[in-house]
Amino acid sequence: MRLIGLDPGLQRTGWGVIEAVGNRLGFVASGVVASAASDDLATRLDRLYVGLAGVIESYKPCEAAVEETVVNKNALSSLKLGHARGVVLLAAARHGLHVSEYASRSVKRAVTGTGAAEKEQVAVMVRMLLPESGPVTGDAADALAVALCHAHIRLTHSRIMAGVRA
């Protein structure tokens, strides 16, 4: 099963695609869709949608996992991030993907074992779990972590369901 993890941001939205076969996980691709702060909001959101649509069409994931938004103290920043998150959810939905959402603490816990992990710890664990990913940017590493979290949840759920059926 091919999964895409998405870490929404207006300036930089990270994406990471992994392949889950049984309990084996493999790196497919990762990157960032960026927009210029000098552009107006509508142009930035359009660039985000078009970029993500291209990624989804190129890598053809079966499901998407999106990190939930952390509310900032700055209300305007939170609002803009919410717009970006809406576009991320829309891009996945318009391409027929089932979308699962995960809190940042859940993603960190799934990848590092603690929900209070720092960004650098998450990136190190992503490289350890997906060594073929090589060095990835922070936003792409976060997106890969979201995909890994989703794969872990799916695998755990499958094992529970197999035990129930037995």
Side-chain angles (χ1 to χ4, degrees):
M1 175 174 289
R2 191 166 276 197
L3 309 170
I4 185 167
L6 299 161
D7 180 34
L10 185 56
Q11 190 166 358
R12 299 171 52 85
T13 289
W15 59 270
V17 180
I18 64 171
E19 193 84 36
V21 180
N23 62 356
R24 216 181 89 245
L25 302 172
F27 172 79
V28 176
S30 67
V32 171
V33 177
S35 70
S38 58
D39 288 341
D40 63 84
L41 181 60
T43 300
R44 295 175 81 183
L45 295 173
D46 180 63
R47 169 168 252 170
L48 177 56
Y49 179 82
V50 169
L52 289 177
V55 168
I56 293 168
E57 290 165 10
S58 293
Y59 294 102
K60 300 183 181 2
C62 300
E63 294 182 11
V66 178
E67 187 168 26
E68 291 178 351
T69 303
V70 176
V71 178
N72 298 312
K73 290 180 182 175
N74 181 329
L76 184 58
S77 294
S78 292
L79 183 61
K80 287 180 180 179
L81 182 57
H83 289 320
R85 190 168 181 281
V87 169
V88 167
L89 294 170
L90 175 66
R94 294 286 297 169
H95 287 83
L97 302 180
H98 170 76
V99 179
S100 297
E101 300 175 65
Y102 299 97
S104 177
R105 290 183 66 79
S106 297
V107 172
K108 290 175 182 180
R109 189 177 313 111
V111 175
T112 69
T114 177
E118 296 292 325
K119 224 171 165 47
E120 297 78 27
Q121 290 173 289
V122 172
V124 167
M125 285 305 298
V126 165
R127 283 191 298 275
M128 287 179 68
L129 295 167
L130 300 169
E132 60 275 19
S133 69
V136 293
T137 67
D139 299 298
D142 288 349
L144 286 166
V146 175
L148 288 166
C149 174
H150 184 59
H152 174 73
I153 301 282
R154 286 190 54 74
L155 179 60
T156 301
H157 180 72
S158 301
R159 287 180 179 160
I160 291 170
M161 294 309 293
V164 169
R165 284 188 228 124

